[in-house]
Amino acid sequence: MQISRIVPQYSTQTYRTSSVFPAAHAARCRGGQAENLAGKRRLLRARPYSPASGGHAKPMREWIALLSAELAGRLRGYWTPLLSDAAQAVACVFLFGVIAPLGIQDGAPYWVWLAAGLAPWFFYENALLGSATAYFSYAPLVRHRQCHSALIPPLRVAGALLHALPWLLLAGLAASATGCLSPRWYLLPYSLFCGLLLGTAEGYFAAMFAPFFGRFVERGMRLTLSLFFWFTPVAWPVALVGGPGAAQWLSPIGYVVDLTRASLLAAAPLPAWNRTLWFLCLMAGLTIAGATGSARLQEPYREVL
């Protein structure tokens, strides 16, 4: 059966709430239809995906159409994750700025230094949580072969950039106002690229097993990320534990956080070249492995979704 117009119903509130898919949406999915998002103008008009026929005739055009649907859905529920991120930032400022003040960090006030590190972290968090529910949100497309399964996790990762932009803008304006803006601000596109690479590489593995284990993957990941945040030098400097240890040096998210701070704050050091090489090689390997695994699981996904 060829279905030419399927766009998944989606809300970014799925990241912060436990009721991700209403019963009405599940019924529509079982019938092979999903409600259009936010009055979407461009719908998918594509033949069903077939590996024997060489895949989509216009994959980039279809992916862009899906991305516009993803962004529209995120904008509809934008305030819920934004308020949650803001509450987390306020908790950090209260803990490390009032109760146990850390003072100047990398030549910038603590709250400016914090905002520069929260931007990549909030992107990372939303990218992984979005990837964990990716195949559920786009179940009609996967089930009816309207989209290759390997294209969906990068879609959710790209949409998560919306959650980093306010914090990047805040950090840039604050650094400029306090006179600590880095002359290396031109490295910001590279830091965004590294963030996308990290989100895509780990997002593939966050999404890969979710269709087989259901909501447990997303719930477990939310709990893990909440704890991981306080044990990762995002809200506090690594010098508090005796300098940059091996765990921080090898941490992919630690690299992106340090790179973003070096792009925004003049006194923040750039990561060493060997750390950059390690990050790029690791992310390239994980991305290839994740994309290959997702592609090979296309048919099993159709059976369980």
Side-chain angles (χ1 to χ4, degrees):
M1 178 178 64
Q2 179 171 347
I3 296 180
S4 60
R5 295 190 176 194
I6 298 180
V7 175
Q9 181 172 353
Y10 164 74
S11 171
T12 54
Q13 293 181 1
T14 60
Y15 298 173
R16 311 296 180 182
T17 62
S18 59
S19 61
V20 179
F21 300 107
H25 173 55
R28 282 194 294 271
C29 289
R30 286 193 293 270
Q33 299 184 16
E35 186 179 338
N36 196 345
L37 283 176
K40 179 158 173 51
R41 295 172 300 215
R42 290 184 297 169
L43 301 174
L44 280 177
R45 296 179 176 90
R47 62 184 182 182
Y49 174 81
S50 173
S53 64
H56 290 288
K58 300 176 181 179
M60 182 58 67
R61 190 174 179 182
E62 294 164 4
W63 193 84
I64 292 175
L66 282 171
L67 180 60
S68 65
E70 172 76 13
L71 295 176
R74 285 182 180 271
L75 287 173
R76 290 178 64 191
Y78 191 73
W79 290 106
T80 300
L82 181 62
L83 292 176
S84 177
D85 294 343
Q88 193 170 354
V90 169
C92 293
V93 172
F94 181 73
L95 179 60
F96 297 112
V98 178
I99 296 180
L102 295 177
I104 301 297
Q105 298 295 326
D106 290 332
Y110 172 76
W111 66 276
V112 178
W113 180 86
L114 175 67
L118 287 180
W121 174 263
F122 286 149
F123 162 75
Y124 176 73
E125 182 182 39
N126 284 283
L128 290 190
L129 291 177
S131 297
T133 59
Y135 292 123
F136 294 107
S137 294
Y138 288 89
L141 295 175
V142 177
R143 188 166 56 244
H144 297 287
R145 297 184 178 182
Q146 290 295 116
C147 181
H148 198 291
S149 60
L151 296 177
I152 293 179
L155 188 74
R156 304 302 291 271
V157 171
L161 276 176
L162 284 176
H163 301 284
L165 293 179
W167 301 98
L168 273 178
L169 182 61
L170 172 64
L173 293 176
S176 178
T178 54
C180 56
L181 182 64
S182 172
R184 301 184 296 262
W185 58 267
Y186 56 85
L187 290 176
L188 273 177
Y190 171 67
S191 65
L192 288 175
F193 166 77
C194 289
L196 285 171
L197 187 60
L198 170 63
T200 301
E202 298 193 14
Y204 270 125
F205 289 93
M208 190 177 296
F209 302 105
F212 306 107
F213 296 96
R215 305 296 307 162
F216 295 103
V217 173
E218 188 253 347
R219 291 170 183 169
M221 187 165 296
R222 179 181 287 113
L223 177 62
T224 302
L225 288 171
S226 298
L227 296 174
F228 185 54
F229 172 79
W230 297 104
F231 290 95
T232 303
V234 175
W236 47 270
V238 72
L240 286 181
V241 291
Q248 171 68 4
W249 194 92
L250 296 173
S251 169
I253 181 60
Y255 172 82
V256 178
V257 168
D258 290 346
L259 177 63
T260 305
R261 281 181 172 145
S263 304
L264 290 170
L265 305 177
L270 276 170
W273 68 268
N274 51 352
R275 189 180 178 193
T276 299
L277 182 62
W278 156 256
F279 172 83
L280 293 176
C281 291
L282 177 64
M283 293 301 102
L286 289 178
T287 300
I288 293 172
T292 303
S294 295
R296 293 189 176 183
L297 289 172
Q298 171 88 9
E299 289 304 316
Y301 288 157
R302 293 185 62 237
E303 296 177 4
V304 300
L305 289 173

